Amino acid sequence: MKVVERYIMRRTFAVFMAALVWTLVIAWTTQVLPRINLVTDNGQSALTFLKVATLILPSIIPIVVPFAVAVAVALTLSTMNSDSELAVSNAAGASRWTIVRPILLLALVAAMFSFVIDNGINPYARQKNRQLMAESRADLLSLVIQEGTFRKIDDGLFLQVGERLPDNRLGGIFVADSREEGVNLVYYAKSGAIVQRGDEKVLMMNDGVIHRKTMTGDLSVIRFTSYAFDLSAFMSAASEVTLMPEDRTTQYLLNPDPNDKAFQQNPNEYRAELNQRFTEWTYSLVFALIALAVAGDARSHREARVHPLITAIGISLFVRWLGFFAAGKADTVPQYAYMVYGVPIVSAAIAIWFIVTSRTMELPMSWADRMTNLAGRVAEFWNAIRLRVLGRGAPGREVG
């Protein structure tokens, strides 16, 4: 590899890592925050939450990596052009392959990395994640013994324990049950305990009352000395791990179990997931080619109405949206599988045509004009606010 190629590779890789880390942090945060209820609602420890959050990363990486490649290539080449490095390289007789080769090499490494994550690590991480979530829902002992907080056991079923007593007994038990349509049940007991009866776990409540209220307003109160509330059904249902097609390994998708109920109900979902895994890794190469077609020419930057980085990201987002659209439709319409493969192939072919013919890939002129006008209006609005703020502050400074 030539000195210039190593230089381009080094700069692009540095920008790629920076873009990957920050984009991954943002995407990971948006996925982790909805799962904070694992701690707040299910009473799990922070360590369990961190495990679940970590296991989310493999599912995000294959989506983020192609965009990091696009950002790295477009930003590196646009910076080199603004510094006249691309023009000097062309004037020195360097072929366009000198720029293309290190970019494609980096994109190929990123694509292989995405392929390994998507087909090797992510399925096992998703299975482990579902297992942890099931265990957290089934851990009723740690759920109910937390004092003074309401815990959701099931849809329409809530439980609260006032205090923990010696000998694993519970005090001040409150249960609200609205699962039956038109009937609201409220249980209150002074004391109780969770006991094991064979293979079942039962909440045994002592010295309490049951309030039963219907939609018509009828209210009845039943006093009991002891009452057994069965929890085994909720624990067994919560502990079951249901694996979706995206949770299965690639080997399983290639040869699914004919007795798999999910596969029997909708085999198209398994084929669609397999097609998506075989094409998702290619977007790193596709986005690198798009960025090269946008920013690889030394003349493109100064003639473009929109910054090459914005153009490259805009086109990449559109291409990726087409890929997601095709993958989503392929679950129900098998014919969209051709589009799943066609989107990256056609996009790469178009970008290669622009590169080979030394043309610059740009947004349509009307889009560029609209974006330029919008940017100008935003700048004018910001300047007006800044001047107004400075204008208000000026008399104060004069008086001081």
Side-chain angles (χ1 to χ4, degrees), residues 79-363:
T79 303
M80 291 180 63
N81 182 79
S82 62
D83 296 338
S84 301
E85 291 176 318
L86 293 182
V88 171
S89 177
N90 292 339
S95 64
R96 194 162 188 177
W97 183 246
T98 303
I99 299 174
V100 173
R101 183 160 52 186
I103 298 298
L104 291 184
L105 181 60
L106 176 64
L108 181 61
V109 173
M112 292 297 100
F113 176 65
S114 297
F115 182 85
V116 171
I117 295 293
D118 214 0
N119 293 272
I121 299 176
N122 187 35
Y124 296 101
R126 293 182 68 94
Q127 292 178 16
K128 182 63 176 177
N129 198 350
R130 287 193 179 275
Q131 182 180 354
L132 285 174
M133 296 294 291
E135 291 175 355
S136 68
R137 290 193 299 267
D139 190 7
L140 262 296
L141 288 176
S142 64
L143 183 69
V144 300
I145 62 176
Q146 297 198 20
E147 303 174 352
T149 57
F150 279 94
R151 296 297 179 189
K152 183 178 180 181
I153 307 299
D154 193 21
D155 291 336
L157 180 62
F158 296 85
L159 184 147
Q160 183 193 35
V161 173
E163 59 179 339
R164 294 180 59 185
L165 301 174
D167 301 328
N168 293 325
R169 292 184 298 116
L170 308 173
I173 302 173
F174 178 86
V175 179
D177 186 357
S178 59
R179 291 170 297 165
E180 184 179 351
E181 186 177 357
V183 178
N184 293 326
L185 297 173
V186 176
Y187 303 80
Y188 176 77
K190 293 182 179 180
S191 63
I194 296 179
V195 298
Q196 187 81 27
R197 289 186 174 179
D199 296 333
E200 299 180 351
K201 283 192 175 181
V202 177
L203 175 61
M204 184 61 69
M205 295 184 285
N206 302 317
D207 191 11
V209 294
I210 302 175
H211 292 255
R212 186 180 186 274
K213 183 178 182 181
T214 63
M215 296 296 294
T216 58
D218 296 334
L219 178 64
S220 59
V221 179
I222 303 173
R223 183 174 296 276
F224 60 84
T225 304
S226 64
Y227 186 90
F229 196 92
D230 189 9
L231 297 175
S232 58
F234 308 112
M235 297 187 67
S236 60
S239 61
E240 293 180 358
V241 179
T242 303
L243 297 181
M244 305 302 292
E246 56 268 20
D247 305 324
R248 297 292 188 177
T249 63
T250 303
Q251 293 82 355
Y252 186 91
L253 294 177
L254 289 170
N255 187 23
D257 184 3
N259 298 323
D260 188 345
K261 294 182 179 179
F263 175 72
Q264 293 174 351
Q265 293 175 357
N266 197 346
N268 290 333
E269 291 185 359
Y270 286 73
R271 300 190 191 99
E273 176 64 23
L274 187 62
N275 293 331
Q276 185 173 359
R277 290 190 190 180
F278 283 166
T279 56
E280 195 166 36
W281 65 276
T282 62
Y283 282 95
S284 294
L285 291 168
V286 174
F287 287 5
L289 291 171
I290 291 174
L292 279 169
V294 171
D297 190 353
R299 297 170 299 173
S300 63
H301 303 251
R302 295 173 183 175
E303 296 173 357
R305 298 194 176 193
V306 181
H307 194 278
L309 178 60
I310 299 177
T311 303
I313 294 298
I315 297 175
S316 299
L317 283 171
F318 176 73
V319 171
R320 197 65 186 95
W321 174 82
L322 287 177
F324 281 127
F325 173 79
K329 287 292 186 179
D331 291 346
T332 55
V333 184
Q335 288 74 15
Y336 275 92
Y338 297 104
M339 186 176 177
V340 173
Y341 290 94
V343 168
I345 293 175
V346 173
S347 301
I350 294 174
I352 291 174
W353 180 80
F354 273 93
I355 295 172
V356 172
T357 58
S358 298
R359 299 173 183 267
T360 301
M361 182 183 290
E362 291 183 317
L363 294 174

Side-chain angles (χ1 to χ4, degrees), residues 372-387:
T372 303
N373 293 335
L374 179 61
R377 292 176 182 177
V378 171
E380 292 177 359
F381 179 73
W382 172 251
N383 288 332
I385 294 178
R386 185 171 59 87
L387 291 175

Side-chain angles (χ1 to χ4, degrees), residues 28 32 48-60 121-122 124-133:
W28 178 69
V32 167
T48 303
F49 173 74
L50 290 176
K51 289 180 180 179
V52 172
T54 303
L55 292 171
I56 295 175
L57 279 174
S59 63
I60 303 174
I121 299 176
N122 187 35
Y124 296 101
R126 293 182 68 94
Q127 292 178 16
K128 182 63 176 177
N129 198 350
R130 287 193 179 275
Q131 182 180 354
L132 285 174
M133 296 294 291

